[in-house]
Amino acid sequence: MSIKLTDAAEFFKKEQHQIDAWEWLQGQIHPSVLETFELKYRAKPTPLPTHSNTWEGVYAAAKEAGAKFPECVCAQWALESGWGKHFSGTWNAFGLKGSGSTVNTQEFINGKWITIQAGFIDFPDLTTCVHYLVDRWYKDFGRFKGVNRATSRNECAQLLVKEGYATDPDYSTKLIQIMDRQLQNSGGKQDSKDPHNNNFNPWSPFSYKITPHITYGELTLNQEKRRFTKQYQCDTAKELCLFLEKVRTNFGNKPLIITSASRPEPINTQVGGAKNSEHTYDAPSKGAIDFYVEGIDTYTVQSWCDAKWPYSLGYGAPKGFVHLGIREGKPRVRWDY
């Protein structure tokens, strides 16, 4: 089997037989090939895009890097870094060992947990760290077969343990539990679709379309601090969005503009929201969306919704919006602002 030059370069220790081999090889290569190699070797690499320190950001970075199951990378990020709060080295979210920062770490050795000091690689940003992980553990690397060979996300997690990524015997189980909880579906077999698209859940990307014309990001202003944390919040939001699609259709498919939706505390109080506001989505069957239809008189939209919506409605037309809401028990409620 022929040697890979990248492997030869990695293990070069300036021993005489290695120097002789490299000098011999250089003499066999045409000068024009060496010139092209020099240009490529010295070329400044294209900067990697910066992704946020969130499940969504890690998922995007892992998918970009070539992970077959980027959700498994996300689960590793969540488990290893406490959901992005604690890094081993600078931007090291996966406990990747090497020269850099020296910190205490827990290892499961000879049947028990012990604390040791170890060196962890420092990275310039999270995206670089994710690419490093994917390149060395998910893809084939040198003589190592990457875990991208798995046929399901569960098998991917199991292969990480089999290949020696972690000493924790329960590591794969923990990853699987995180993925199942966040994606709200089983990972026992490969799904050709993006697992985030199987249903609307708290960790769906903000670009996720809850209904054909309304995205998750419109309800949260694309802010992580407004993201839903419970599945029942997503279910309530979807019920509201389905009615808004009817509003949109009734008024000639004019653009529907959402001005306020998810406002968890303390955001609701900070923006002057009412105490126990429906916008907090803090209980099952409780939620609200304020909106208007572009180019349509808001009083007209409000009147139509008043006749068609069976639950909570705030007459916000004087302020330029309609408040569409639901509260616990789903009573019919109307009020003025």
Side-chain angles (χ1 to χ4, degrees):
M1 184 175 70
S2 59
I3 188 173
K4 292 180 67 174
L5 292 181
T6 51
D7 287 343
E10 181 180 357
F11 296 106
F12 180 59
K13 302 185 185 304
K14 295 186 177 181
E15 296 179 3
Q16 189 58 50
H17 69 282
Q18 294 176 323
I19 295 173
D20 292 343
W22 279 110
E23 290 181 345
W24 174 85
L25 178 61
Q26 182 159 354
Q28 306 300 309
I29 300 174
H30 193 277
S32 63
V33 175
L34 285 173
E35 288 176 5
T36 302
F37 173 78
E38 180 182 10
L39 290 173
K40 290 180 176 293
Y41 190 80
R42 297 183 183 278
K44 186 176 181 180
T46 302
L48 292 172
T50 301
H51 295 288
S52 62
N53 183 31
T54 61
W55 179 285
E56 182 183 21
V58 174
Y59 186 91
K63 192 171 184 179
E64 169 190 273
K68 185 177 179 182
F69 298 98
E71 61 270 31
C72 195
V73 178
C74 293
Q76 288 187 270
W77 163 81
L79 181 60
E80 298 277 359
S81 71
W83 297 87
K85 295 178 181 177
H86 309 290
F87 295 128
S88 303
T90 305
W91 287 112
N92 188 335
F94 304 99
L96 297 163
K97 292 178 180 175
S99 59
S101 300
T102 300
V103 299
N104 290 333
T105 185
Q106 291 272 305
E107 296 285 354
F108 192 79
I109 299 174
N110 295 326
K112 62 180 180 180
W113 288 100
I114 64 171
T115 300
I116 64 172
Q117 276 202 333
F120 293 89
I121 304 171
D122 292 327
F123 292 96
D125 51 59
L126 180 59
T127 299
T128 303
C129 179
V130 172
H131 277 249
Y132 182 96
L133 173 79
V134 172
D135 286 344
R136 285 159 178 76
W137 286 93
Y138 284 73
K139 298 177 181 179
D140 293 347
F141 184 72
R143 291 180 289 276
F144 169 78
K145 285 293 184 182
V147 299
N148 268 353
R149 69 184 189 273
T151 58
S152 71
R153 74 183 190 218
N154 287 1
E155 185 186 4
C156 184
Q158 292 159 354
L159 284 175
L160 284 168
V161 175
K162 182 180 179 181
E163 297 297 344
Y165 183 89
T167 59
D168 182 357
D170 297 322
Y171 189 78
S172 62
T173 300
K174 292 174 183 177
L175 295 183
I176 291 168
Q177 289 174 342
I178 291 171
M179 289 187 286
D180 288 349
R181 184 169 64 249
Q182 296 307 316
L183 300 175
Q184 298 289 312
N185 53 59
S186 171
K189 61 181 180 179
Q190 182 177 0
D191 190 332
S192 60
K193 298 179 181 179
D194 186 326
H196 290 83
N197 290 334
N198 288 342
N199 67 315
F200 176 38
N201 61 75
W203 289 101
S204 295
F206 285 150
S207 58
Y208 179 90
K209 288 187 176 181
I210 303 171
T211 55
H213 301 95
I214 302 173
T215 67
Y216 189 9
E218 290 178 85
L219 303 190
T220 60
L221 300 182
N222 291 303
Q223 296 176 3
E224 285 296 326
K225 61 185 179 181
R226 293 176 183 257
R227 181 184 284 278
F228 295 135
T229 58
K230 303 289 192 300
Q231 185 59 39
Y232 65 69
Q233 296 170 322
C234 297
D235 297 339
T236 299
K238 185 169 184 177
E239 185 173 0
L240 290 162
C241 290
L242 286 171
F243 182 79
L244 290 182
E245 288 288 349
K246 294 179 181 179
V247 176
R248 192 179 192 279
T249 299
N250 184 74
F251 291 101
N253 289 315
K254 296 281 187 179
L256 189 148
I257 311 301
I258 294 173
T259 59
S260 185
S262 176
R263 296 198 312 241
E265 293 292 2
I267 294 173
N268 179 63
T269 299
Q270 291 169 351
V271 300
K275 185 178 180 181
N276 201 32
S277 169
E278 294 170 348
H279 284 287
T280 60
Y281 287 79
D282 61 0
S285 297
K286 180 180 178 181
I289 297 175
D290 296 345
F291 73 98
Y292 66 90
V293 178
E294 195 171 87
I296 304 295
D297 176 66
T298 306
Y299 285 92
T300 301
V301 176
Q302 179 174 279
S303 178
W304 189 88
C305 292
D306 193 8
K308 301 294 183 179
W309 182 244
Y311 309 128
S312 176
L313 190 80
Y315 298 139
K319 295 180 178 292
F321 66 89
V322 179
H323 173 98
L324 191 75
I326 304 176
R327 59 184 62 178
E328 292 176 272
K330 293 188 172 181
R332 177 182 172 84
V333 183
R334 298 292 186 270
W335 75 91
D336 295 315
Y337 278 88

